[in-house]
Amino acid sequence: MAKTKELSKDTRNKIVDLHQVGKTESAIGKQLGLKKSTVGAIIRKWKTYKTTDNLPRSGAPRKISPRGVKMITRTVSKNPRTTRGDLVNDLQRAGTKVTKPTISNTLRRQGLKSCSARRVPLLKPVHVQARLKFAREHLDDPDEDWENVIWSDETKIELFGKNSTRRVWRTKNAELHPKNTIPTVKHGGGNIMLWGCFSAKGPGRLIRVKERMNGAMYREILSENLLPSARALKMKRGWVFQHDNDPKHTARATKEWLRKKHFKVLEWPSQSPDLNPIEN
């Protein structure tokens, strides 16, 4: 349940003043735009304690002072990779002994929570400039232009990933139930390589690559699958093909093959997988 906003001291005093001149709780509530129950609580408090000020609350006082809160908030803002252990040590050196859960709760109240860091491409200044140039050049492209692009990529899929992790909801002592486990095999279990493409109209062909892909194999895959995919997707005349800057894609023989086939290729900035919707 969301916390309600605390009434100001002036509003609480006004409630008491109106009560003393004989107004009912309902009338006071209507005049001040408050609930009758809220007005009644303030009046009962005044009758009992002769004050509308906040009374001492029950519960243990917070261990981290406002100054300490500012210090650890400033620390994680400067360096988000700071660990709870680091913050515990910082506060201990400042004379405050706290636990890691206390650190978590304090930062959560400041709107900060621990999350897994997103993995993003390592960008050099030249990559940043190329991506910015690409974005500016295509900033005003109409939706119809993007609907006329066939996006493509290769991917390797682990059949039994060594690092596969999943969260499951289960009862106590049910950790070994088949529904709650991830099957594993020794030495990873192998993988498969796939090439695929799609457009705004839907998916194109998905091809398994059975051998190590080289430039010649890549051109063979395009020859056998790209044009049939474009036809199946009913792409408009002058459709555009997208692939990244993998050496097999940018090889002179591949560029020449695409030119002879009269395929229009979307110029692609390096280190930009996040710009390709097929990555999702």
Side-chain angles (χ1 to χ4, degrees), residues 156-164 182-192:
K156 183 174 72 171
I157 298 178
E158 297 285 345
L159 298 181
F160 288 90
K162 293 181 180 179
N163 298 319
S164 296
I182 297 175
T184 62
V185 296
K186 290 183 177 180
H187 314 301
N191 57 71
I192 60 172

Side-chain angles (χ1 to χ4, degrees), residues 3 60-65 68-70 72-73 76 83-85 87-88 91 98-114:
K3 294 179 68 176
R62 289 177 180 167
K63 288 189 174 181
I64 304 180
S65 67
V69 172
K70 288 182 180 179
I72 64 174
T73 302
V76 298
T83 66
R84 293 184 303 171
L87 297 175
V88 167
L91 286 172
V98 296
T99 62
K100 291 180 180 180
T102 300
I103 294 290
S104 298
N105 294 335
T106 301
L107 291 176
R108 195 175 295 114
R109 286 194 292 270
Q110 304 304 309
L112 299 165
K113 65 176 183 178
S114 177

Side-chain angles (χ1 to χ4, degrees), residues 160-215:
F160 288 90
K162 293 181 180 179
N163 298 319
S164 296
T165 57
R166 295 287 187 277
R167 292 184 178 273
V168 296
W169 293 99
R170 63 173 177 81
T171 57
K172 187 177 180 180
N173 299 326
E175 64 271 18
L176 295 180
H177 191 285
K179 292 190 300 183
N180 301 329
T181 61
I182 297 175
T184 62
V185 296
K186 290 183 177 180
H187 314 301
N191 57 71
I192 60 172
M193 175 71 80
L194 301 171
W195 175 91
C197 66
F198 81 168
S199 77
K201 302 177 187 295
R205 291 190 175 183
L206 184 67
I207 303 300
R208 179 177 179 182
V209 182
K210 295 183 179 180
E211 300 176 18
R212 185 178 180 85
M213 185 187 290
N214 55 27

